[in-house]
Amino acid sequence: MVGKGVKPCILLRISFALDELIRQVTINCAERGLLLVRVRDEINMTIAAYQTLYESSVAFGMRKALQAEQGKTDLEKKITDLENDKREYERQVNELKAKCDQIEKKAADQKMVEEKKHAEEVQFLKKTNQQLKTQLEGIIAPKK
């Protein structure tokens, strides 16, 4: 009957005192002595059960604390990995945006060149059309 909350020497003295009390009661009345022995044994078994329960609950608490610490470490590593991934994706997004802007600028420049070329071609065709019209009128007008 040794516990962690009460000093072992005090528990030992109480145990000796109870044993002596049981001995003296048994001398006077055997039935009462046997009942006290059963009560003492029940008390010892209850204390042992509580001690075992306490020790197993402490062990369980320690396991859970270690698991929580391990889980915390794993989550911190995952957070770091995700932050690194995020930075990489942001860098890729910036590169793709710059590439997209470059492509849009190149397309806009090409469109301007094509529009200018088209306008010049239209102007040339109008001028050619006007010249042909003038020539045609020159050819048709003297015959009348």
Side-chain angles (χ1 to χ4, degrees):
M1 204 165 66
V2 178
K4 295 184 182 196
V6 180
K7 292 183 180 179
C9 63
I10 293 175
L11 288 176
L12 191 60
R13 286 183 186 170
I14 291 173
S15 177
F16 287 148
L18 184 58
D19 288 344
E20 181 61 25
L21 181 67
I22 290 171
R23 188 187 68 76
Q24 289 177 11
V25 169
T26 304
I27 291 173
N28 290 333
C29 180
E31 292 84 12
R32 284 185 186 170
L34 287 174
L35 285 174
L36 283 175
V37 167
R38 288 176 67 183
V39 168
R40 180 197 62 198
D41 291 343
E42 278 294 321
I43 289 172
N44 287 339
M45 287 185 349
T46 303
I47 289 173
Y50 279 131
Q51 203 168 8
T52 302
L53 181 63
Y54 170 77
E55 290 169 358
S56 66
S57 67
V58 167
F60 177 79
M62 291 299 291
R63 279 193 311 274
K64 285 298 178 182
L66 289 173
Q67 287 174 352
E69 187 63 33
Q70 179 63 37
K72 180 181 175 187
T73 304
D74 292 344
L75 288 176
E76 287 173 347
K77 183 183 181 314
K78 188 173 183 177
I79 286 171
T80 304
D81 292 344
L82 289 173
E83 286 174 346
N84 290 338
D85 289 347
K86 179 186 166 202
R87 280 192 288 277
E88 177 62 24
Y89 292 142
E90 286 174 344
R91 184 190 62 75
Q92 288 177 3
V93 165
N94 290 335
E95 284 179 6
L96 291 173
K97 280 183 181 178
K99 201 176 210 182
C100 185
D101 290 344
Q102 186 180 16
I103 289 171
E104 286 176 351
K105 185 178 182 228
K106 186 175 179 181
D109 290 347
Q110 188 176 1
K111 184 179 176 183
M112 280 181 33
V113 167
E114 287 177 9
E115 285 177 353
K116 184 178 178 184
K117 188 177 179 183
H118 178 72
E120 288 174 355
E121 189 176 335
V122 167
Q123 192 63 30
F124 173 76
L125 290 174
K126 281 183 181 180
K127 185 177 177 185
T128 305
N129 189 25
Q130 187 63 37
Q131 288 174 351
L132 289 174
K133 204 185 225 185
T134 308
Q135 283 179 355
L136 186 60
E137 287 176 357
I139 293 173
I140 296 176
K143 290 187 178 182
K144 289 188 182 180

